[in-house]
Amino acid sequence: MILTGCDRLATLEGVRSLDTADRARIEAQALAMAGQALRVLGIADKPGAALEDAERGMVFLGLVGMIDPPREEARAAIARCGQAGIRPVMITGDHPRTAEAIARELGILRNGRVVTGRELDTLDAAALAAAVEDIEVYARVSPEHKLKVVSAWQAWGRITAMTGDGVNDAPALKKADIGVAMGISGTDVSREAADMTLTDDNFASIVGAVEEGRGIFRNIKKYLMYLLSSNIGEIGLMAVATLAGMPLPLTAVQILYVNLATDGLPALALAFDPPEPDLMERPPRDPSIGIFTRPVVTLMVAGGVWSTMANVGLFAWALDSGHALAHAMTMVFLSLVLIQFFKAYSFRSDRESIARRPFANRWLNLAILWELMLLGLVIYLPPLAAAFGTWHLSLGDWLLVVGVAASVVPVLELVKWAIRRSYPAEPLRGLQAQKEA
């Protein structure tokens, strides 16, 4: 635009007329500089110009190239997005050559297309939706074009996040499933329209938030699996024993202890479980699928049912072997608690084996050690033993009970193996699922 308003050129020999060859040479140089990821400005002047004719008959002085280098962590964050099934797309007002060079440097542009705002204006909603998968960079676009791009991706059923900082970005931020505003450079309007604000204006922070969110969701799932499976085992134990005409296998105080002490601390520790190493190498979760998927329910019920069977079987054997009722009840009480401890470690993942980083959660380790110490006091400290109605167990009793409790581990491992075979990957959604179908 600057070059169009010029008719003269400043050289070392002085000002001379600007001819067609000069214009071609200047445009070629501007493109070469843009290809080096530089934002290029044309500089011109007009001595003694009036306001009404300042942009005509100018003297072209030269080109200035500026660069806003990407942050060092941006490339790694974008690569991490690709591993996590998140597709970054660049939308910029820069020259297409500049945008292409930056996108290639960051790893955004691989095999896709670069499209300009002018080209977008020629596409209707259906045409853009059909082409959007192949477009990785949008250059020379206005904020209004962002809204079209968001709508095109949402037409495929994709969860779309949009970043922006200007007043005109507000519609796109509002339309996106997750609007992300810049906390430093963003306007008040953009921050009001967005769902999330980056306090450091750093793209890597978005990727960190995704990882944190995935970890929180999985820990909620572990917490619920553990608590509900434990409750299934406790309810099943009491129900089956009652229906079978057996004495109650636990006293009211023992049931209360299991629910408040044994269930509580390990469950809280699971809420702080460290993220799995491959957390950001898995595809996104379908938001229409809740926590209680078929694999989760299967694992949860299997743990609860086996706990019921093992404890009822132990109780029946102890009574048939001539053990006193208090002795048999203490063995079942200990077995129930230990089974839940084993399940706490197994439920750190609904797919992976317990042998994979079994003690990575130090809070769970501390919780189990603390509970084992309390359990020893409840069984062997006379005042507490009297209050809880427990029996002094021998070493042989402990070995038997630990063996019965540990039997839940191979059962859950077998269920996980079946889950991995039946559900080899987490469900995909949107365009990827449609393409595979």
Side-chain angles (χ1 to χ4, degrees), residues 66-80:
M66 301 182 299
I67 189 167
D68 182 12
R71 299 192 186 206
E72 293 183 1
E73 62 270 25
R75 184 178 178 85
I78 288 169
R80 199 160 176 78

Side-chain angles (χ1 to χ4, degrees), residues 382-394:
L384 291 178
F388 283 89
T390 54
W391 186 279
H392 191 287
L393 298 179
S394 66

Side-chain angles (χ1 to χ4, degrees), residues 107-131:
I108 294 176
L109 184 61
R110 297 182 180 274
N111 303 311
R113 295 164 52 195
V114 179
V115 172
T116 64
R118 186 174 298 176
E119 293 174 84
L120 282 180
D121 289 332
T122 65
L123 301 176
D124 58 19
L128 179 57

Side-chain angles (χ1 to χ4, degrees), residues 396-435:
D397 293 333
W398 270 89
L399 293 175
L400 174 63
V401 170
V402 170
V404 170
S407 66
V408 75
V409 174
V411 171
L412 294 178
E413 289 297 296
L414 183 62
V415 174
K416 288 182 184 181
W417 174 80
I419 288 173
R420 288 194 297 269
R421 285 179 59 88
S422 303
Y423 303 90
E426 296 187 21
L428 306 179
R429 68 181 313 275
L431 180 62
Q432 191 170 351
Q434 292 180 34
K435 286 179 66 179

Side-chain angles (χ1 to χ4, degrees), residues 15-88:
V15 178
R16 63 173 174 82
S17 179
L18 184 65
D19 58 25
T20 304
D22 293 328
R23 293 179 186 275
R25 181 165 52 86
I26 292 169
E27 289 177 353
Q29 182 61 42
L31 288 175
M33 294 171 69
Q36 299 171 23
L38 296 172
R39 289 168 177 166
V40 185
L41 296 179
I43 309 297
D45 74 345
K46 184 177 182 181
L51 185 60
E52 57 272 12
D53 67 349
E55 296 182 9
R56 298 190 302 274
M58 295 185 292
V59 178
F60 191 82
L61 303 179
L63 299 171
V64 173
M66 301 182 299
I67 189 167
D68 182 12
R71 299 192 186 206
E72 293 183 1
E73 62 270 25
R75 184 178 178 85
I78 288 169
R80 199 160 176 78
C81 280
Q83 295 173 348
I86 302 168
R87 180 173 178 181

Side-chain angles (χ1 to χ4, degrees), residues 225-243:
M225 277 198 307
Y226 172 72
L227 279 183
L228 294 178
S229 181
S230 297
N231 288 337
I232 290 172
E234 294 164 22
I235 294 171
L237 170 62
M238 303 301 290
V240 171
T242 301
L243 293 174

